[in-house]
Amino acid sequence: MSTQTAHREAPAAVTRRDRTGRRTASRPPARRNRTGGLTSRVAVNAVLAVVAVYTLMPLTWLLIASTKSYRDLFATNPFSLGDFAFLSNLNALLEYNDGVFVRWMLNSLLYTVVASLLSTLISVACGYAFDKYAFRGREKWFGVVLVGVLIPSTVVQLPLYLMASELGLVNTYWAVLIPSLVNPFGVYLARVFSEGYVPGEVLEAARVDGAGEVQTFVKVALPMLAPGFVTIFLFSFTASWNNFYGALMMLNDDRLYPVNLGLFMWNQNVYQQPELYPLVIIGSLVAVVPLIVAFLCLQRFWRSGLTAGAVK
């Protein structure tokens, strides 16, 4: 290496003039500490890996256990494979008690899809009204909605049961469907989406063209709110699918059970009926599939909906 090359690679000192006009040399800027940045990335990736393993471990065990026979469930390591019995377990699940598991799955789809669609439509309409219309007590009523977000759903189950009992709705489909239509968190999200996605100028242009308020909402605002609609629908879908305590309070006929309540009842009887144990495991795996399918099919809208309001 020549002296000229070494001089070129060395950081040059910066010369500046002070108030008296004399030149003074200052130190060159310090190089960026690359070691610290690499250590931070490794630490973050390690934490994410631990969280991913912790999250996927129960699902992995469920997937492996559903392929084992009743003997291998207790004779082998929890994460080791045994004799492949997935198809026989699935067939036993579908045939047990005249196919009651299939009825539970259909009940869950009814409770979830119908309730989620209606709840999302109501929430979007309410959020749109809170955002675009000025009426007396608007902010106070919206404060009431926010208070509803803070109240746990289990707290209101007993009053809901008493009201349903007075109306004669206990042990019916309506006892589970009607309470699911109220979604304060969905109303809050809908207002945020309306502020970010629906410009007021577009609504004014629609009104000038002669469109009524309902027509403006359905044909102009609702298509703009499609990402928000799907996001709220997914939240409502997940909450309705996992609605265990409400169904437990309202229903006592096993033909009306959703799948999570039915699996819970089976699990309560595994000591008296050990053959139910593999059915509970594979039934839990099958019950997760609709949630995974819904998120995979609607993830494009869900991802775009999560960024609503980030840039206005």
Side-chain angles (χ1 to χ4, degrees):
M1 181 182 295
S2 62
T3 306
Q4 184 178 1
T5 304
H7 177 71
R8 186 179 303 169
E9 292 179 354
V14 180
T15 59
R16 297 179 180 176
R17 293 180 181 272
D18 57 9
R19 295 181 179 179
T20 61
R22 292 180 298 181
R23 293 184 177 181
T24 58
S26 61
R27 295 181 179 180
R31 292 185 177 181
R32 189 176 180 180
N33 189 358
R34 297 181 179 178
T35 305
L38 180 61
T39 304
S40 300
R41 288 195 297 270
V42 171
V44 170
N45 290 334
V47 171
L48 292 177
V50 171
V51 172
V53 171
Y54 178 79
T55 304
L56 295 177
M57 187 177 295
L59 185 60
T60 304
W61 175 85
L62 187 64
L63 183 62
I64 295 175
S66 63
T67 64
K68 297 181 180 180
S69 62
Y70 180 80
R71 179 182 59 84
D72 289 338
L73 280 174
F74 301 96
T76 59
N77 186 277
F79 291 95
S80 63
L81 297 175
D83 295 335
F84 187 80
F86 179 81
L87 296 179
S88 60
N89 291 339
L90 183 62
N91 185 63
L93 174 69
L94 299 179
E95 293 182 352
Y96 183 81
N97 196 13
D98 297 328
V100 68
F101 180 81
V102 177
R103 186 180 183 90
W104 291 344
M105 287 291 293
L106 294 177
N107 290 339
S108 291
L109 289 175
L110 174 64
Y111 295 141
T112 303
V113 175
V114 174
S116 298
L117 284 175
L118 294 178
S119 174
T120 304
L121 185 60
I122 294 172
S123 298
V124 170
C126 292
Y128 170 82
F130 274 118
D131 175 43
K132 300 304 180 185
Y133 294 111
F135 52 89
R136 185 176 180 180
R138 180 180 67 172
E139 297 304 326
K140 293 182 180 179
W141 283 111
F142 190 69
V144 174
V145 173
L146 295 181
V147 171
V149 176
L150 302 177
I151 299 177
S153 60
T154 54
V155 175
V156 299
Q157 290 303 323
L158 181 58
L160 288 175
Y161 174 80
L162 296 176
M163 294 171 61
S165 179
E166 290 292 331
L167 297 174
L169 299 178
V170 174
N171 204 35
T172 65
Y173 288 109
W174 298 109
V176 180
L177 282 173
I178 294 178
S180 300
L181 300 181
V182 180
N183 186 4
F185 184 64
V187 175
Y188 165 75
L189 286 181
R191 182 174 183 177
V192 174
F193 285 122
S194 180
E195 292 174 352
Y197 277 93
V198 184
E201 295 80 3
V202 177
L203 301 181
E204 291 297 330
R207 296 187 182 104
V208 170
D209 290 339
E213 295 300 327
V214 176
Q215 188 177 8
T216 301
F217 171 71
V218 173
K219 295 186 177 181
V220 178
L222 198 56
M224 293 181 178
L225 291 170
F229 188 96
V230 174
T231 303
I232 298 172
F233 174 80
L234 284 175
F235 280 115
S236 180
F237 186 92
T238 305
S240 298
W241 189 267
N242 296 326
N243 181 19
F244 167 78
Y245 194 67
L248 178 64
M249 289 284 293
M250 297 292 184
L251 304 176
N252 52 39
D253 186 355
D254 61 350
R255 295 175 301 175
L256 302 178
Y257 285 173
V259 65
N260 51 7
L261 180 58
L263 291 175
F264 172 78
M265 293 301 180
W266 278 358
N267 190 57
Q268 293 292 102
N269 297 325
V270 292
Y271 294 105
Q272 292 79 18
Q273 297 174 280
E275 68 276 8
L276 290 177
Y277 190 74
L279 300 186
V280 172
I281 293 176
I282 193 171
S284 301
L285 179 65
V286 174
V288 175
V289 173
L291 290 176
I292 298 176
V293 172
F295 273 88
L296 291 179
C297 294
L298 302 176
Q299 63 177 339
R300 178 169 63 90
F301 298 97
W302 178 58
R303 289 177 180 177
S304 62
L306 288 179
T307 60
V311 179
K312 292 185 65 176

